[in-house]
């Protein structure tokens, strides 16, 4: 609330101070101009109180015993102090007509403090996003600054205190208001996409719901502004209705500011837990994958309804405009009634839940043990749905090695593992496993499914649309320092080399002698007896795999079209190399038992250089859906 109050007060001060020096053009009396400066000073005083309130509340969150000492130690606290200083300078400048314009400029610059203390600037984000957030606030402040003065100027003109026709003033404002509001919407869209993150958060988080309220108010603002523009196009139109329309726009502007202030004080939807409220979700791609045959008839019917409705509307548009719109609307409504259920899939409260485990070798290894204990009896040792206990079930257990595992959200999998599947013999394991254990089990299921899909990976480096996420691995170097593959994210590529045969160490020595370049590191994974035979080398890290967890996890990615190993009869390969880009995607693989057995030094350096030149890619987080 303090944030919104400060924004409105500063914006109104900008409007009054910008208006005061233009009293002669408006035909206003000197007393009226003095009153405008007084209103600006009062608004700036209110803004100072609101900023002080925010600063104290921020300090209380940090240290209830010494809030005024704690607040200046943070970025937000320092921004609020700077904002208060600029507002105070604007207050001093507002005292005389000669410096009123300077006061307006200072007050407008103070609006930047509202953006600088927000989520999109205080967080570690790109400069472009921060620039969009600042532009959004400052241009919106300029638009808001004009609304209050315009409304009271309308009353002053009606009372004869201003001789300039109010219509002329409104017309001048209207010429700049539309592009300004379009700029506000464009910048706000950039910030909203970052804040919401994914569309479910728009419906299932408080942030998304308040954003919906703000957007509804913005739509009302545009509707009111459109009515005023039509009013300006009618020279003989009545004067009073335009004032009422502007009053409505002012009220909607306050609603926008109130919603924006609330958004600034709650967790952005992209970082909030999502509890899905409905038993379904609209997901056309997933629906097509899961039940494509059932979608054909409804989608064809929906297309036919739109075509027929459109033809009816075109046929009647000249003679019966109302019937034309009715026919077109009926076609759209019927199409929606047919298409929306067809593209819906089942959903659960946890459908968009975030995993509490990292996508790494340790979690996958723990999940493998849980699978062996709870799931292998029905789904089989290799996950192909051929377990001994599953043979007696009326419905065969699912084959977990197929791609359909990845067509469901991980929250769906978590719900089924916890509660079972309605109408199927799949029981729930919520009573015998913990929340963390169920997520570890999901990590293993994803590694199993992705491992079978990894057969499509080859020795040629993927140049477009990488899809296979690298499994994070952790190790400790000889000096006791902890490292992780994810530490290289955004900086360097990596060549992960898994060694099961000491005779393959010559390849590692060759990589140390001729490294793949400054943009990549070599990470060798080996059991202790083999790792002990490696000498330290620059650019080569050795991950000692004492418990075999790394080898077991990355071993899922061993499968090729030539060696699919569908029954897990040959899980060990003497040496496998995977090239991982700086974004965390596996881009190529070489096996010691398949030709070519490795990439030459020149080819590897060329591949690393090509990957380094690629633009930024999406996150490889396997938990994202």
């Amino acid at each position: 609330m303090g944030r919104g109050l400060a924004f409105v007060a500063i914006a109104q001060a900008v409007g009054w101070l910008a208006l005061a020096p233009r009293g002669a053009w408006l035909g206003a009396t000197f007393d009226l101009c003095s009153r405008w400066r007084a209103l600006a000073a009062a608004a700036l005083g209110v803004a100072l109180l609101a900023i002080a309130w925010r600063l104290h509340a921020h300090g209380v969150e940090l240290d209830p015993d010494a809030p005024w000492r704690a607040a200046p130690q943070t970025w937000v606290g320092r921004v609020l102090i700077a904002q208060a200083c600029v507002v105070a300078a604007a207050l001093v400048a507002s005292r005389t007509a000669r410096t009123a314009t300077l006061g307006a400029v200072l007050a407008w610059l103070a609006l930047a403090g509202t953006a600088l203390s927000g989520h999109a600037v205080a967080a570690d984000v790109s400069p472009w996003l921060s620039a969009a957030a600042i532009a959004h606030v400052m241009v919106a402040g300029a638009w808001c600054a004009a609304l209050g003065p315009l409304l009271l100027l309308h009353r002053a003109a009606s009372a004869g205190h201003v001789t300039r026709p109010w219509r002329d003033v409104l017309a001048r404002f209207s010429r700049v208001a539309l592009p300004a509001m379009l700029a506000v919407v464009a910048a706000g869209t950039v910030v909203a996409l970052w804040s919401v993150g994914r569309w479910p958060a728009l419906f299932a988080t408080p942030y998304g719901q308040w954003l919906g309220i703000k957007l509804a108010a913005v739509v009302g603002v545009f509707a009111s502004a459109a009515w005023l523009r039509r009013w300006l196009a009618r020279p003989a139109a009545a004067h009073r209705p335009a004032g009422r329309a502007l009053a409505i726009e002012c009220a909607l502007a306050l609603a926008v500011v109130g919603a924006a202030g609330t958004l600034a004080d709650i967790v952005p939807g992209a970082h909030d837990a999502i509890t899905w409220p409905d038993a379904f979700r609209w997901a056309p791609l997933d629906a097509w994958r899961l039940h494509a045959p059932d979608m054909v008839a409804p989608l064809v019917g929906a297309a036919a309804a739109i075509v027929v409705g459109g033809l009816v509307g075109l046929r009647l548009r000249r003679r019966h405009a109302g019937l034309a719109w009715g026919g077109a609307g009926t076609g759209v409504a019927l199409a929606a009634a047919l298409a929306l259920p067809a593209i819906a899939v089942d959903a659960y409260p946890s459908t968009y839940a975030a995993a509490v485990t990292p996508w790494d070798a340790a979690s996958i290894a723990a999940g493998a043990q849980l699978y062996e204990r709870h799931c292998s009896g029905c789904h089989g040792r290799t996950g192909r749905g051929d377990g001994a206990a599953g043979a007696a079930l009326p419905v065969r257990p699912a084959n977990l090695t197929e791609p359909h595992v990845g067509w469901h959200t991980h929250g769906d999998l978590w719900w089924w593992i916890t509660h079972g599947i309605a109408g199927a013999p799949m029981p729930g394991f919520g009573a015998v496993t913990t929340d963390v254990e169920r997520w570890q089990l999901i990590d293993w299921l994803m590694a199993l499914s992705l491992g079978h899909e990894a057969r499509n990976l080859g020795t040629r480096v993927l140049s477009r649309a990488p899809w296979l996420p690298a499994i994070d691995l952790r190790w400790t170097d000889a000096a006791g320092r902890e490292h992780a593959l994810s530490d290289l994210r955004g900086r360097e590529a990596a060549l992960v080399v898994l060694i099961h045969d000491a005779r393959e160490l010559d390849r590692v020595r060759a990589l140390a002698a001729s490294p793949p370049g400054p943009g990549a590191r070599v990470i060798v994974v080996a059991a202790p007896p083999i790792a002990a035979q490696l000498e330290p080398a620059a650019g080569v890290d050795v991950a000692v795999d004492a418990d075999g967890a790394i080898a077991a996890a990355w071993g899922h990615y061993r499968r090729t079209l030539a060696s699919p190993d569908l029954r897990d009869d040959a899980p060990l390969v003497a040496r496998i190399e995977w090239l991982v880009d700086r974004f965390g995607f596996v881009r190529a693989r070489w096996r010691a038992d398949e030709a070519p057995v490795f990439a030459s030094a020149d080819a590897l350096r060329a591949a690393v250089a090509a990957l380094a030149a690629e633009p930024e890619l999406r996150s490889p987080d396997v938990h994202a859906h």
Side-chain angles (χ1 to χ4, degrees):
M1 182 177 177
R3 181 189 180 96
L5 181 60
F7 176 86
V8 171
I10 295 173
Q12 292 308 296
V14 171
W16 295 122
L17 290 174
L19 193 66
R22 289 158 181 79
W25 179 80
L26 292 168
T29 64
F30 179 80
D31 291 338
L32 188 57
C33 296
S34 299
R35 191 179 305 169
W36 291 340
R37 290 199 306 275
L39 286 171
L44 292 172
V46 171
L48 284 174
L49 292 176
I51 295 170
W53 179 17
R54 286 191 65 200
L55 189 61
H56 180 265
H58 179 65
V60 168
E61 291 179 358
L62 301 172
D63 186 355
D65 297 327
W68 295 108
R69 186 172 63 244
Q73 306 303 317
T74 66
W75 165 262
V76 173
R78 291 192 290 270
V79 167
L80 291 175
I81 291 173
Q83 186 182 33
C85 292
V86 177
V87 170
L91 180 60
V92 172
S94 68
R95 300 302 300 272
T96 65
R98 188 173 301 175
T99 57
T101 301
L102 175 61
V105 173
L106 290 172
W108 184 67
L109 292 176
L111 289 173
T114 305
L116 291 171
S117 59
H119 296 303
V121 177
D124 184 15
V125 295
S126 70
W128 293 108
L129 179 62
S130 299
I134 295 172
H136 177 68
V137 169
M138 296 191 69
V139 179
W143 162 73
C144 188
L147 294 180
L150 268 176
L151 184 60
L152 293 187
L153 195 61
H154 171 266
R155 296 184 179 180
S158 301
H161 299 304
V162 175
T163 59
R164 169 72 62 176
W166 184 71
R167 177 187 293 273
D168 293 349
V169 180
L170 182 63
R172 176 172 290 196
F173 168 72
S174 181
R175 283 194 292 270
V176 298
L178 180 59
M181 283 302 294
L182 292 177
V184 168
V185 171
T189 300
V190 173
V191 177
L193 289 174
W194 172 82
S195 301
V196 175
R198 45 185 179 159
W199 74 265
L202 190 62
F203 304 97
T205 63
Y207 190 95
Q209 292 158 5
W210 275 103
L211 182 60
I213 294 173
K214 180 182 176 182
L215 292 176
V218 170
V219 170
V221 166
F222 274 99
S224 177
W227 190 93
L228 283 170
R229 288 175 73 89
R230 287 197 300 271
W231 178 83
L232 286 172
R234 300 194 299 267
H239 190 64
R240 183 174 298 176
R244 287 198 297 266
L246 187 60
I248 292 173
E249 186 172 344
C250 289
L252 291 170
L254 291 177
V256 171
V257 173
T262 303
L263 289 172
D265 293 331
I266 59 179
V267 178
H271 308 292
D272 201 2
I274 297 178
T275 301
W276 191 247
D278 300 316
F280 68 91
R281 61 186 177 94
W282 286 311
L285 180 58
D286 292 340
W288 183 261
R289 288 167 169 172
L290 295 171
H291 45 76
D294 298 333
M295 294 177 62
V296 175
L299 293 181
V300 170
I306 291 178
V307 171
V308 172
L311 292 176
V312 170
L314 290 174
R315 180 87 176 182
L316 300 175
R317 71 183 189 279
R318 293 183 179 178
R319 292 179 296 173
H320 304 285
L323 290 177
W325 283 107
T330 301
V332 172
L334 182 58
L338 291 171
L340 291 180
I343 64 173
V345 296
D346 292 338
Y348 311 92
S350 64
T351 286
Y352 295 101
V356 299
T357 55
W359 171 248
D360 63 10
S363 181
I364 293 172
Q369 296 177 1
L370 291 165
Y371 175 85
E372 182 65 28
R373 185 186 315 157
H374 298 293
C375 312
S376 61
C378 292
H379 290 280
R381 181 182 63 85
T382 61
R384 301 180 66 83
D386 54 359
L393 296 176
V395 179
R396 179 178 176 178
N399 185 344
L400 302 175
T401 67
E402 294 178 347
H404 68 79
V405 174
W407 298 346
H408 305 284
T409 71
H410 297 168
D412 286 346
L413 299 177
W414 185 92
W415 184 268
W416 293 331
I417 294 172
T418 304
H419 302 282
I421 300 178
M426 166 80 179
F429 295 90
V432 295
T433 58
T434 66
D435 187 26
V436 171
E437 287 176 337
R438 292 191 289 279
W439 282 111
Q440 289 172 337
L441 184 54
I442 291 170
D443 285 339
W444 187 84
L445 292 175
M446 295 309 303
L448 179 67
S449 178
L450 288 170
H452 282 267
E453 292 186 56
R455 288 176 292 173
N456 298 310
L457 193 67
T459 58
R460 178 177 296 179
V461 178
L462 290 174
S463 59
R464 293 182 181 179
W467 51 272
L468 187 63
I471 300 169
D472 201 10
L473 57 94
R474 305 173 191 280
W475 71 94
T476 304
D477 63 17
R481 294 186 295 266
E482 298 288 337
H483 299 274
L485 177 61
S486 57
D487 293 340
L488 303 179
R489 190 72 55 80
R491 298 187 292 110
E492 291 182 283
L495 184 70
V496 178
V497 183
L498 176 60
I499 300 289
H500 278 125
D501 190 331
R503 289 174 293 184
E504 296 293 335
L505 291 178
D506 288 341
R507 167 62 174 166
V508 178
R509 297 185 181 101
L511 288 170
S514 182
R521 293 193 64 82
V522 177
I523 302 173
V524 180
V525 179
I530 298 177
Q533 302 179 44
L534 281 172
E535 302 82 11
V540 176
D541 292 314
V542 179
V544 180
D545 191 18
D547 57 1
I550 301 176
W554 277 84
H556 288 289
Y557 290 174
R558 72 186 182 278
R559 294 182 172 88
T560 66
L561 293 175
S563 304
D565 193 17
L566 300 179
R567 308 296 304 184
D568 278 352
D569 296 324
L572 298 182
V573 181
R575 172 181 48 81
I576 310 179
E577 301 177 13
W578 295 273
L579 181 59
V580 181
D581 64 21
R582 70 184 189 278
F583 306 110
F585 289 101
V586 181
R587 305 295 286 270
R589 175 195 48 217
W590 299 269
R591 286 177 51 136
D593 57 348
E594 294 182 5
V597 295
F598 56 80
S600 67
D602 292 339
L604 196 57
R605 279 192 287 268
V608 169
L611 293 178
E614 287 185 338
E616 185 173 355
L617 300 176
R618 60 181 174 84
S619 168
D621 183 9
V622 73
H623 292 133
H625 193 278

